[in-house]
Amino acid sequence: MRSDLMKQGVEKAPHRSLFKALGWIDRELDNPMIGVVNSHNEIVPGHIHLKDIGEAVKAGIRMAGGTPVEFSTIAICDGIAMNHTGMKYSLASRELIADCIEVMAEAHPFDGLVLIPNCDKVVPGMLMAAARLNIPAVVVSGGPMLAGRYRGENISLSNLFEAVGSFYAGKITPEELAALEETACPGCGSCAGMFTANSMNCLTEALGMALPGNGTIPAVSAARRRLAKMAGIQVMKLVKENIRPADIMTAAAFDNALAVDMALGCSTNTVLHLPAIAAEAGVDIPLEHVNVVSERTPNLCRLSPVGPCFMQDLDEAGGIQAILAELARKDLINLAARTVTGRTAGENIRGREVLRRDVIRSVDDPYSPTGGIAVLKGNLAPGGAVVKKSGVALEMLVHRGPARIFNSEEEAVQAIKNRKINKGDVLVIRYEGPKGGPGMREMLTPTATLAGLGMDKDVALLTDGRFSGATRGASIGHISPEAAEGGPLAVLRDGDIIEIDIPGHTLNVALSKAEIAARLDGWHPPEPRIKKGYLARYAARVTSAGSGAVLK
């Protein structure tokens, strides 16, 4: 066993003495030692209940003859961090999480890992660590929040962000906003729509690194606790059979995850995270490959924020295994891909079927014959840009309009709140990329405020930053190269005509190559916004969004 490095032999008597200081007995030392990585804390609603999930995991490990060892990682709530400096730290925390798990698992050589995340950057951070360490590992998330209820309808956090815009527009009263605030988030779990956290938990299941049900079983359900116990039992089987992440996270598995991504209409942040995880696993996912998978994969679901259904509905409909089974009908899934169940993807979905056609459409009758995400390129985004096209109104799929330039999210939000945006405008929010932000902030506030004002079908947004999975509308992010690195975005001016063609996968500005070059000749990079601490180090090492914003 790997853990014998710290507990076997005469020379390890001091080490065993330290273990006995923990209250351990020899039998516990003789068992395989399983690290239980828990991102529980008391500020993130998606993580407040993870102590319970951790206890269930440890019970499963003990039932299967292992010794669990729990330790923690950090986790940021993107909703609480939104629209202030805190959001600069969100994406950057992904690398810290991966590094911390690596440090703990190498300093104390565990035989296996059970990883317990729930929110946006925690899921990919843990998967990156699993791929890097390549020891038997299972992911079990904390599960999605139930939808809130307001006046007989299901709602979630995205409705509240949009309600702020409605309040500014005079469409709702302060009392109605307060009532929404009380009901939108009814309890623990990752926010109830197909936002980034739930996107990544669903894709972890499709990738084969989590047991069936991981993406959709509600956080409050007893079934979530049972799943956690099964994860603890299953990691012991993986240790015994020496099945490692490298056996599971193959190119075929990432294609399965991308196919489910397109079918679900997941958050655009998946296009940052999947390549970063793949890089740790030694698999290359070029940005262009996203379009290849999207072009062959139908969009089967329209969950909140672009449709009326929520995660609990997807669970009732059969969950991710039903999506996989539906896609397999058109040979869009690699059925031979291995999973942490010990079985193949094809074996896992045998007998699975869609239980609610109002939630998961047939591959013969999709919302769209192509997937929910598109990568755009052109003279404004030579390195690529990303849009959640399933959330874009038909009339905005092709758009031509004048640029309105803002050098920060705050500037743009102020203009939107003051009703200084016109129909047809293309809002450009720059210097918010991985280096320029730094940290590539999610910008749900401007998109949600526009939606609340009723302008999401009239105005487009472009940024080298990111948009939340709760975003809907013509919101195009991840523009590479970013402005801070001298990308064309840096030299746009108010009134420049922006040309967006999402079906044609292009994003251009109506300027000649010579004019762009001349403007860039006179451009100088701005002073860094943050000059000390972790973010300063992060900005110095982070790569472009087009390569997953990984560190050099």
Side-chain angles (χ1 to χ4, degrees):
M1 292 187 294
R2 189 170 181 265
S3 61
D4 286 349
L5 292 170
M6 58 181 169
K7 63 185 185 182
Q8 290 294 320
V10 172
E11 69 278 8
K12 297 302 188 296
H15 305 60
R16 291 192 294 273
S17 180
L18 289 167
F19 282 122
K20 289 178 179 180
L22 301 174
W24 287 18
I25 61 175
D26 287 340
R27 181 172 175 180
E28 288 173 295
L29 284 170
D30 290 340
N31 291 338
M33 196 177 294
I34 308 299
V36 178
V37 189
N38 198 332
S39 55
H40 166 264
N41 62 46
E42 295 184 346
I43 194 168
V44 184
H47 296 239
I48 190 68
H49 64 303
L50 294 189
K51 274 188 178 179
D52 292 346
I53 302 300
E55 290 302 318
V57 166
K58 290 188 285 185
I61 292 168
R62 291 190 183 103
M63 281 189 279
T67 298
V69 185
E70 187 173 4
F71 63 93
S72 63
T73 67
I74 60 171
I76 288 173
C77 177
D78 281 11
I80 295 172
M82 197 71 69
N83 71 34
H84 60 85
T85 300
M87 180 48 77
K88 295 177 185 288
Y89 289 85
S90 177
L91 179 61
S93 72
R94 184 186 73 181
E95 320 306 313
L96 278 177
I97 291 162
D99 290 349
C100 286
I101 296 169
E102 175 196 354
V103 166
M104 286 296 288
E106 293 289 15
H108 318 98
F110 301 116
D111 298 300
L113 294 172
V114 178
L115 304 150
I116 309 174
N118 215 27
C119 288
D120 308 35
K121 314 308 164 298
V122 190
V123 182
M126 288 193 177
L127 284 168
M128 289 165 70
R132 188 184 304 172
L133 291 162
N134 198 32
I135 60 177
V138 177
V139 176
V140 58
S141 76
M145 186 184 293
L146 293 177
R149 295 284 292 174
Y150 181 69
R151 295 184 176 178
E153 293 186 359
N154 285 340
I155 62 169
S156 71
L157 184 68
S158 65
N159 298 93
L160 199 59
F161 272 95
E162 293 182 10
V164 173
S166 297
F167 174 75
Y168 286 131
K171 296 178 180 179
I172 63 172
T173 66
E175 292 75 20
E176 288 172 314
L177 182 61
L180 283 163
E181 179 182 324
E182 291 289 337
T183 57
C185 299
C188 65
S190 47
C191 297
M194 187 49 72
F195 314 145
T196 308
N198 289 325
S199 294
M200 288 308 303
N201 283 324
C202 289
L203 298 192
T204 301
E205 184 179 333
L207 187 61
M209 285 297 294
L211 297 175
N214 178 74
T216 59
I217 295 173
V220 295
S221 171
R224 176 61 57 177
R225 277 74 183 160
R226 295 196 295 270
L227 185 74
K229 288 180 182 177
M230 292 305 300
I233 291 169
Q234 192 60 31
V235 76
M236 294 298 295
K237 294 180 181 178
L238 298 181
V239 168
K240 183 178 179 181
E241 297 174 22
N242 196 29
I243 298 174
R244 299 169 180 256
D247 301 317
I248 296 167
M249 287 195 273
T250 62
F254 281 101
D255 269 6
N256 286 352
L258 279 170
V260 170
D261 192 345
M262 300 306 152
L264 283 173
C266 288
S267 163
T268 52
N269 285 311
T270 60
V271 182
L272 280 175
H273 298 321
L274 286 176
I277 298 162
E280 294 283 1
V283 175
D284 182 37
I285 302 180
L287 204 53
E288 295 79 7
H289 189 61
V290 175
N291 277 345
V292 171
V293 177
S294 183
E295 285 300 304
R296 70 188 183 215
T297 309
N299 179 226
L300 306 180
C301 299
R302 293 284 168 95
L303 288 94
S304 174
V306 300
C309 296
F310 292 81
M311 294 305 298
Q312 62 213 58
D313 299 303
L314 181 58
D315 191 56
E316 287 179 12
I320 301 309
Q321 299 303 308
I323 294 275
L324 288 164
E326 189 65 26
L327 293 174
R329 291 180 51 214
K330 294 285 188 181
D331 296 323
L332 295 170
I333 295 298
N334 188 311
L335 300 178
R338 299 180 74 178
T339 74
V340 292
T341 65
R343 301 185 297 273
T344 64
E347 290 168 333
N348 287 342
I349 64 174
R350 192 169 295 152
R352 299 277 186 156
E353 59 183 23
V354 175
L355 303 177
R356 283 182 57 182
R357 283 294 179 193
D358 62 317
V359 181
I360 304 173
R361 284 196 176 186
S362 164
V363 287
D364 300 313
D365 180 34
Y367 286 102
S368 165
T370 57
I373 292 177
V375 171
L376 314 182
K377 287 197 171 185
N379 68 357
L380 192 51
V386 182
V387 63
K388 185 174 182 175
K389 68 178 182 181
S390 60
V392 181
L394 288 176
E395 54 265 47
M396 290 297 291
L397 287 171
V398 177
H399 181 74
R400 192 174 191 270
R404 295 285 304 281
I405 308 300
F406 302 96
N407 290 329
S408 70
E409 177 187 6
E410 288 81 1
E411 289 180 21
V413 170
Q414 197 61 41
I416 296 168
K417 285 166 58 177
N418 292 336
R419 310 296 292 272
K420 293 184 177 180
I421 303 301
N422 301 312
K423 288 186 177 183
D425 282 350
V426 179
L427 277 62
V428 176
I429 307 174
R430 64 190 179 192
Y431 297 112
E432 291 285 5
K435 286 183 180 294
M440 202 181 181
R441 284 193 287 184
E442 278 188 351
M443 287 178 278
L444 178 56
T445 298
T447 60
T449 305
L450 282 170
L453 289 167
M455 297 184 72
D456 54 302
K457 296 180 181 179
D458 303 306
V459 175
L461 288 94
L462 307 182
T463 185
D464 48 9
R466 306 180 290 132
F467 291 113
S468 165
T471 292
R472 59 189 174 99
S475 304
I476 300 169
H478 307 198
I479 293 177
S480 301
E482 63 175 287
E485 289 194 303
L489 204 66
V491 293
L492 285 184
R493 297 172 184 166
D494 277 331
D496 286 341
I497 300 301
I498 308 298
E499 299 170 337
I500 300 166
D501 183 352
I502 294 173
H505 300 113
T506 60
L507 178 62
N508 290 293
V509 57
L511 295 174
S512 68
K513 191 174 182 180
E515 173 64 17
I516 294 172
R519 290 188 188 184
L520 284 170
D521 280 343
W523 174 83
H524 301 286
E527 280 287 307
R529 287 171 169 161
I530 294 180
K531 299 180 181 180
K532 63 181 181 179
Y534 174 61
L535 276 184
R537 298 194 301 275
Y538 178 86
R541 297 183 56 208
V542 70
T543 61
S544 80
S547 58
V550 297
L551 299 185
K552 297 174 188 172

